Amino acid sequence: MCRLFGLSAAPKRVQATFWLLEAPDSLTQQSRREPDGTGLGIFTADGEPEIDKRPLAAYEDRAFAEEAKHCRSVTFIAHVRYASTGALEQRNTHPFQQHGRLFAHNGVIGDLPALDAELGDARGLVAGETDSERFFALITKHIAANGGAVGDGIAAAARWVADSLPVYALNLVLTTPTELWALRYPDTHELHVLQRAAGGQHRDRYLDHTSAAGRIRTRSGQLAETPAVVVASERMDEDPGWQAMRSGELLHVDGDLSVTRRIVLEDPPRRPLSLADLDAHAAASQA
């Protein structure tokens, strides 16, 4: 299953180190399907998006993914991809950038020709082959239709997909230079949020989060003194403050680290997909 991670320390820029892939050092790790790509997205002090991503198609790509990546930003987005659609190429690797926003997705959307037809001119935003980038383009289209309101655009796009297309999952994280949004829909995959006080639960610890699956790890010394909000596919430490997002819930972290959460999709997808409905490659990506 793809791994999603988002972090906001708004309004403060903080230094963080990411490891997007750990070296296989046990039979358990070696027996798992290896991921197909890794990516990290941040914003410069001027608000320009920067993406560091690569498909894992060769040994040197894996070495790249295992290297520590030191970066500074207000918001961060990281993704480990297990491909369901699209070749192992740079253009199909998350996160994606459109109109100064960054986006990563975990799930499967079916009937891509119908999605392309709905995109219309917004199809030109899509450089690759994935359902994820197409979904992002639909969100971008609906943001524009809603006067630039990102949350309303996410909700409108997700509602159209849930009502019109076969859906396995639409879990996502979207970031701007100062804000973060996350959606869980439906309850196929988990998505968790932690509103972390400065220093964490003990009030004196730096952030050191590790995926139990051994895929994403991040560390930030500055978060011993600065609060943050973290969104991840799984609880990444022992902090009891982790909360599971509800199906259909849209979370927003604004430029002052205030958090709002609301249900934007109350009903299940009209055409839900199960693992049995997916081809072998797509099903393996979601297991």
Side-chain angles (χ1 to χ4, degrees):
M1 182 181 74
C2 296
R3 299 289 164 178
L4 288 172
F5 180 91
L7 185 149
S8 174
K12 187 170 182 178
R13 286 177 61 80
V14 296
Q15 176 80 32
T17 301
F18 284 82
W19 296 264
L20 299 180
L21 204 61
E22 294 183 347
D25 56 6
S26 71
L27 291 176
T28 300
Q29 283 185 300
Q30 292 170 0
S31 67
R32 289 201 308 263
R33 177 188 167 184
E34 287 304 298
D36 298 310
T38 62
L40 174 65
I42 62 170
F43 292 87
T44 68
D46 295 328
E48 292 298 316
E50 288 189 350
I51 299 176
D52 191 356
K53 66 180 182 179
R54 189 177 296 190
L56 300 181
Y59 172 79
E60 56 267 25
D61 295 332
R62 174 153 192 136
F64 163 86
E66 291 173 0
E67 293 174 353
K69 303 181 187 306
H70 308 285
C71 49
R72 182 179 294 274
S73 187
V74 174
T75 63
F76 303 80
I77 185 169
H79 186 269
V80 174
R81 180 189 185 217
Y82 292 81
S84 58
T85 58
L88 302 191
E89 298 178 0
Q90 184 93 356
R91 62 184 180 143
N92 293 326
T93 306
H94 305 225
F96 303 104
Q97 189 271 130
Q98 293 177 13
H99 292 196
R101 307 179 191 103
L102 299 178
F103 172 90
H105 165 240
N106 177 22
V108 178
I109 301 170
D111 197 354
L112 297 187
L115 179 51
D116 285 341
E118 178 67 15
L119 284 173
D121 292 343
R123 181 64 175 82
L125 295 169
V126 181
E129 305 163 310
T130 66
D131 55 345
S132 301
E133 192 180 15
R134 287 173 165 93
F135 181 33
F136 187 21
L138 186 67
I139 290 170
T140 300
K141 177 179 178 177
H142 279 280
I143 291 172
N146 280 274
V150 174
D152 290 343
I154 293 172
R159 289 183 191 122
W160 184 87
V161 171
D163 192 54
S164 307
L165 301 179
V167 172
Y168 187 73
L170 298 180
N171 286 13
L172 66 88
V173 175
L174 186 154
T175 57
T176 71
T178 59
E179 299 181 74
L180 179 150
W181 286 261
L183 174 70
R184 181 191 181 197
Y185 182 77
D187 57 2
T188 312
H189 295 316
E190 295 183 355
L191 197 60
H192 299 268
V193 58
L194 173 66
Q195 295 178 243
R196 187 181 191 271
Q201 62 173 323
H202 302 292
R203 306 291 176 169
D204 62 353
R205 306 282 179 85
Y206 59 84
L207 181 138
D208 190 355
H209 279 179
T210 303
S211 163
R215 295 310 187 195
I216 295 176
R217 181 176 183 182
T218 183
R219 178 180 293 173
S220 176
Q222 287 181 274
L223 294 186
E225 301 175 349
T226 301
V229 177
V230 183
V231 176
S233 297
E234 59 192 302
R235 294 174 173 87
M236 297 184 71
D237 68 1
E238 76 288 351
D239 194 313
W242 284 101
Q243 295 182 348
M245 291 179 60
R246 297 165 292 170
S247 175
E249 184 175 21
L250 178 65
L251 176 141
H252 175 218
V253 185
D254 72 11
D256 293 316
L257 211 66
S258 296
V259 175
T260 58
R261 301 167 66 172
R262 60 188 173 111
I263 299 296
V264 297
L265 293 120
E266 295 184 352
D267 299 320
R270 179 172 293 186
R271 299 164 64 188
L273 292 170
S274 68
L275 283 178
D277 296 320
L278 306 179
D279 64 38
H281 189 71
S285 76
Q286 301 301 307

